[in-house]
Amino acid sequence: MDRQGMETLLVVDPANMNYLTGYDGWSFYVHQGVILSVDSDAPLWFGRQQDANGARLTTWLPDDRIFGYPDKYVQSRVTHTMRYVARLMRDQGLAEKRLGLEMDAYWFSARMYLILQEEMPQSVLLDATNLVNWVKTVKSEAEIGYMREAARICEQVMQTAVDTIAPGVREKDAAARVAAAQIAGTDEYGGSSPAIFPIMPSAERTATAHLTFDADRSYAAGDVVLLELAGARHRYHAPLSRTVYLGDPPEDLAKTADGVVTGLKETLEDMGPGMTAEEVEARWRAAIAHTGVVKPSRVGYSFGLNYVPDWGEHTVSLRPGDKTILEPGMTIHFMPGIWLDTYGFECSEPVLITASGCEKFIEFPQQLFVKG
Amino acid sequence: MDRQGMETLLVVDPANMNYLTGYDGWSFYVHQGVILSVDSDAPLWFGRQQDANGARLTTWLPDDRIFGYPDKYVQSRVTHTMRYVARLMRDQGLAEKRLGLEMDAYWFSARMYLILQEEMPQSVLLDATNLVNWVKTVKSEAEIGYMREAARICEQVMQTAVDTIAPGVREKDAAARVAAAQIAGTDEYGGSSPAIFPIMPSAERTATAHLTFDADRSYAAGDVVLLELAGARHRYHAPLSRTVYLGDPPEDLAKTADGVVTGLKETLEDMGPGMTAEEVEARWRAAIAHTGVVKPSRVGYSFGLNYVPDWGEHTVSLRPGDKTILEPGMTIHFMPGIWLDTYGFECSEPVLITASGCEKFIEFPQQLFVKG
């Protein structure tokens, strides 16, 4: 904040709220946030009155920093929560400041901005998009611990998927087992609902990203099934992608799989601190150059603590032009997903940048899983 | 659009995109949308290049209305997707129009607005917040059919929860069974991932809205457990709340439960077309006046087709001041949740407004469930 000339900061991204205060509830569908000031040790939390007890239960904030607003502000057609927030900031002596806003966050709408601008004409509004996200990008030991727990969950989730998917099995039943495994976790501890639903398209639905199972279909011989699944622990994620083929894989798919897996292994061998994000992508591109595989989109991104709709942190992207230098403690999902005209292939690895290289969070065979 | 003087409309809410085109993918974590023009029968879809096949597979749009943007726009620090969108609109002759924007949608950030304003100085930007949501509020027969299927799923989900929760059972294991039931659906058809994760807090966590299970705790005698769960079918929801008590319920909880259930029954008897939303709330308040139960927040809302983070439609709210007249085909979640200082009680009903009254989507006993 100081470096960017901000005296106050309004944080509405639920993962950033959690990071700063511990707040953890499914209440981000109404306006809520925390307000930081460079002059104060404790942020202010504001949210709907009925969620204020949730802030008392899940945050470390003292009671006098928790402000619940009346229900008349919820999805109102006559007033707006930002009017309440502006008054709160005035009451706390936080108006007339240089105020940072998460201008491009899902949870900071155009209307919220315009109302704040109208209500606080003496404030200087600054762009704080991803400011907290960048702080989060390097993880603490405690955070890495949660992500390792999430990784153990993810291994069970992926194994459940690979074991269950077979010709004749209903897609919904496989997806149900996956969803259960995400929550049931290990014998020792449970998981939390991941930030992205189970992505597990089959057949022609694998020719694109981000579709999922068909609730009314059964798997059939000749299906490709893409699996992009995560374990999550206290909202910290460990994502992983793998691909299953039901039957004898066609030659071009087997060849694509070989090319991707080889490129993945070679890239991870070199990936480490001091490299830039774009250098990792270039390393990958060099490794697959001879295979004929072309991957026009980024091949990875920073991940960690998050809520829907994304476990990515919107900071580091492995792609040309991203000159971020990798540092120990960063956590990157190396994700070279290939979507061709009639099918796709995915094999990814979530890794921790260490002092000397990178460390896989998950041990799961890197291959095309072929099932009868 | 015509009534509000709009010639073009940019829709970014994923549920509204689905409603207008059929598009269904977990890709709303990057910028995407559909653009409508009063002069054209088919909207334009734009999204990330890797999701364009998803638009071909899930929408009814012809290929020449589907535009995938290059990956360099994704979470970029040097350009912005709205620059691509502005150019697309110029190329299509849609700049210099009166353009409606979903100004207060989760998926329309302050930054998106400012870039569009900068890129399209000849356009008149208008507020189209919830414009499509209001169209969606009255459901077609086909939509009601999906919601009835979602209701069958929800009955199984709620029964699973009530059957599983017991002293000594780990909360994570109950939540895992609930999550699986949401996807597995009925013998006939599967469900889709609901827009809100299973809300099932226990003990002191029931004193507030929107917390969920504790991944490391087991249920114990004396627990109140709140269940706010949905079935979903093709993204159409049927939500339901119920409450479980483990042991002999304390007198004040039993009394609160009686008051709420009686008030719920009396209100639903009268609820129907021609009443306003605030009249329903007033009817409820009158019904519980003698019980000592106080409910300071809205007691219900319109629901239907949705994605995370909310299955509510952000239109009708049952609360003082909402003068919306209920019409046949509207679908309302009557949800008088009570959160007191040390526990909560919930018993809700999703209903369809009919020609003569209202019809419950779900048949599930209205009571406090008491388990050994």
Side-chain angles (χ1 to χ4, degrees):
Chain A
M1 286 171 65
D2 199 40
R3 233 179 324 178
Q4 303 199 10
M6 294 169 193
E7 298 165 288
T8 50
L9 177 65
L10 170 59
V11 172
V12 293
D13 179 302
N16 293 343
M17 290 174 66
N18 179 316
Y19 185 75
L20 294 166
T21 70
Y23 184 68
D24 182 28
W26 194 282
S27 50
F28 44 90
Y29 72 91
V30 297
H31 299 138
Q32 61 177 24
V34 296
I35 300 166
L36 283 74
S37 161
V38 287
D39 298 324
S40 169
D41 288 336
L44 299 176
W45 180 96
F46 71 88
R48 194 174 176 183
Q49 182 58 49
Q50 63 178 234
D51 296 314
N53 272 343
R56 289 187 189 97
L57 282 165
T58 63
T59 75
W60 53 268
L61 301 174
D63 256 29
D64 65 356
R65 307 295 282 176
I66 294 172
F67 296 86
Y69 58 76
D71 234 50
K72 69 172 180 184
Y73 288 104
V74 173
Q75 297 158 8
S76 173
R77 278 174 272 162
V78 292
T79 183
H80 197 283
T81 327
M82 287 305 110
R83 300 203 191 280
Y84 171 91
V85 170
R87 197 174 60 230
L88 174 63
M89 290 184 76
R90 282 194 296 269
D91 291 350
Q92 298 282 326
L94 298 177
E96 308 188 21
K97 300 281 184 187
R98 296 174 62 83
L99 170 62
L101 298 168
E102 296 179 297
M103 293 293 288
D104 216 357
Y106 307 118
W107 317 103
F108 191 66
S109 72
R111 173 63 50 210
M112 290 163 79
Y113 174 73
L114 294 179
I115 304 264
L116 281 181
Q117 198 176 42
E118 176 193 323
E119 290 273 348
M120 307 210 297
Q122 310 302 321
S123 299
V124 179
L125 304 183
L126 301 168
D127 191 349
T129 299
N130 292 338
L131 178 64
V132 180
N133 303 48
W134 278 103
V135 175
K136 285 192 308 189
T137 300
V138 175
K139 281 22 172 218
S140 70
E141 276 308 311
E143 292 182 289
I144 292 165
Y146 285 157
M147 292 170 82
R148 290 208 167 103
E149 292 180 344
R152 299 294 79 72
I153 295 173
C154 186
E155 285 161 359
Q156 304 224 8
V157 168
M158 189 58 76
Q159 195 62 56
T160 298
V162 171
D163 289 347
T164 308
I165 292 166
V169 171
R170 295 178 73 162
E171 296 194 12
K172 72 182 183 72
D173 292 329
R177 291 195 56 183
V178 163
Q182 287 175 321
I183 305 294
T186 71
D187 287 346
E188 233 176 304
Y189 47 80
S192 46
S193 305
I196 303 181
F197 72 1
I199 295 187
M200 37 196 304
S202 65
E204 80 275 6
R205 293 165 67 85
T206 65
T208 186
H210 306 124
L211 297 190
T212 191
F213 65 94
D214 182 328
D216 299 329
R217 183 181 184 272
S218 296
Y219 297 111
D223 278 1
V224 181
V225 186
L226 297 185
L227 300 166
E228 190 172 345
L229 306 171
R233 174 76 172 152
H234 299 312
R235 318 279 165 221
Y236 281 86
H237 289 77
L240 190 74
S241 298
R242 288 294 184 269
T243 304
V244 174
Y245 189 83
L246 301 181
D248 263 346
E251 203 179 330
D252 58 346
L253 176 59
K255 220 181 112 194
T256 300
D258 273 354
V260 170
V261 168
T262 307
L264 172 71
K265 285 180 175 162
E266 288 182 14
T267 310
L268 293 191
E269 261 170 39
D270 287 357
M271 193 171 167
M275 266 177 111
T276 63
E278 67 176 358
E279 283 166 359
V280 176
E281 194 276 341
R283 181 69 191 83
W284 151 262
R285 205 150 15 88
I288 60 160
H290 67 285
T291 66
V293 172
V294 175
K295 163 72 179 165
S297 46
R298 63 176 183 173
V299 293
Y301 52 82
S302 180
F303 73 98
L305 169 66
N306 237 321
Y307 289 79
V308 293
D310 194 7
W311 55 54
E313 289 187 318
H314 300 192
T315 54
V316 184
S317 285
L318 304 181
R319 65 180 162 192
D322 192 323
K323 297 182 191 308
T324 312
I325 297 168
L326 299 187
E327 288 175 50
M330 286 184 175
T331 50
I332 307 283
H333 188 203
F334 186 74
M335 166 54 176
I338 305 292
W339 301 281
L340 303 175
D341 277 347
T342 52
Y343 66 84
F345 178 77
E346 295 182 1
C347 185
S348 76
E349 291 296 346
V351 300
L352 168 68
I353 306 300
T354 62
S356 58
C358 75
E359 180 188 306
K360 285 190 289 177
F361 273 104
I362 291 178
E363 283 304 328
F364 205 90
Q366 297 168 333
Q367 62 173 81
L368 174 64
F369 289 85
V370 173
K371 293 194 59 178
Chain B
M1 285 170 64
D2 199 41
R3 235 181 320 180
Q4 302 200 12
M6 293 169 194
E7 297 165 288
T8 50
L9 176 65
L10 170 59
V11 171
V12 294
D13 179 304
N16 293 343
M17 289 175 66
N18 180 317
Y19 185 75
L20 294 166
T21 70
Y23 184 68
D24 182 29
W26 193 283
S27 51
F28 43 90
Y29 71 90
V30 297
H31 299 138
Q32 62 177 24
V34 296
I35 299 166
L36 283 74
S37 161
V38 288
D39 298 324
S40 170
D41 287 336
L44 300 176
W45 180 97
F46 71 89
R48 196 174 176 182
Q49 182 58 49
Q50 64 177 233
D51 296 314
N53 273 342
R56 290 188 187 98
L57 282 165
T58 63
T59 75
W60 53 267
L61 301 175
D63 256 28
D64 64 356
R65 307 296 282 176
I66 294 172
F67 296 85
Y69 59 76
D71 234 49
K72 68 172 180 183
Y73 288 104
V74 174
Q75 298 159 8
S76 173
R77 278 175 270 161
V78 292
T79 182
H80 197 283
T81 327
M82 286 306 109
R83 300 202 191 281
Y84 171 92
V85 171
R87 198 175 59 231
L88 174 64
M89 291 184 75
R90 282 193 299 268
D91 290 350
Q92 299 283 325
L94 298 177
E96 307 187 20
K97 300 280 184 187
R98 297 175 61 83
L99 170 63
L101 298 168
E102 295 179 298
M103 292 293 287
D104 217 357
Y106 307 118
W107 318 103
F108 192 66
S109 71
R111 173 63 49 212
M112 291 164 79
Y113 174 73
L114 294 179
I115 304 264
L116 281 180
Q117 199 177 41
E118 176 194 322
E119 290 273 348
M120 306 209 298
Q122 309 303 323
S123 299
V124 179
L125 305 183
L126 301 168
D127 191 349
T129 300
N130 292 337
L131 178 64
V132 179
N133 303 47
W134 278 103
V135 175
K136 285 193 307 189
T137 300
V138 175
K139 280 22 171 220
S140 70
E141 275 308 311
E143 292 182 288
I144 292 165
Y146 285 157
M147 292 171 83
R148 289 206 167 105
E149 292 180 343
R152 299 293 80 71
I153 296 173
C154 186
E155 285 161 359
Q156 304 223 7
V157 168
M158 189 58 77
Q159 194 63 54
T160 299
V162 170
D163 288 348
T164 308
I165 292 166
V169 170
R170 293 178 75 165
E171 296 193 11
K172 73 182 183 70
D173 292 330
R177 291 195 57 181
V178 163
Q182 287 175 321
I183 305 294
T186 71
D187 287 344
E188 232 176 306
Y189 47 81
S192 46
S193 305
I196 303 180
F197 73 1
I199 295 186
M200 37 196 304
S202 65
E204 79 275 8
R205 292 165 67 86
T206 66
T208 186
H210 305 123
L211 297 191
T212 189
F213 65 95
D214 182 329
D216 300 328
R217 183 182 184 271
S218 297
Y219 297 110
D223 278 1
V224 181
V225 186
L226 297 186
L227 300 167
E228 191 173 344
L229 305 171
R233 174 75 172 151
H234 299 311
R235 319 278 165 221
Y236 281 85
H237 289 78
L240 189 74
S241 299
R242 289 293 185 270
T243 304
V244 174
Y245 190 83
L246 301 180
D248 262 347
E251 201 179 331
D252 57 346
L253 175 59
K255 220 180 113 191
T256 300
D258 274 353
V260 169
V261 169
T262 307
L264 172 71
K265 285 180 175 162
E266 287 182 16
T267 309
L268 293 190
E269 261 170 41
D270 287 357
M271 194 172 167
M275 265 177 113
T276 62
E278 67 176 358
E279 283 167 358
V280 176
E281 194 275 344
R283 181 70 190 83
W284 150 262
R285 207 151 15 89
I288 59 160
H290 67 285
T291 66
V293 172
V294 175
K295 164 72 180 164
S297 46
R298 65 178 182 170
V299 294
Y301 52 82
S302 180
F303 73 98
L305 169 65
N306 237 320
Y307 290 79
V308 293
D310 194 7
W311 56 55
E313 290 187 317
H314 301 189
T315 54
V316 184
S317 286
L318 304 181
R319 64 180 162 192
D322 191 323
K323 298 183 189 307
T324 313
I325 298 168
L326 300 187
E327 288 176 49
M330 286 184 175
T331 49
I332 307 283
H333 188 202
F334 186 74
M335 166 56 179
I338 305 292
W339 301 281
L340 303 175
D341 277 346
T342 51
Y343 66 83
F345 178 78
E346 296 182 359
C347 185
S348 76
E349 291 296 348
V351 300
L352 168 69
I353 306 299
T354 63
S356 58
C358 75
E359 180 188 306
K360 285 189 288 175
F361 272 103
I362 292 177
E363 283 304 329
F364 205 90
Q366 297 167 333
Q367 62 175 80
L368 174 64
F369 289 85
V370 173
K371 292 195 56 178

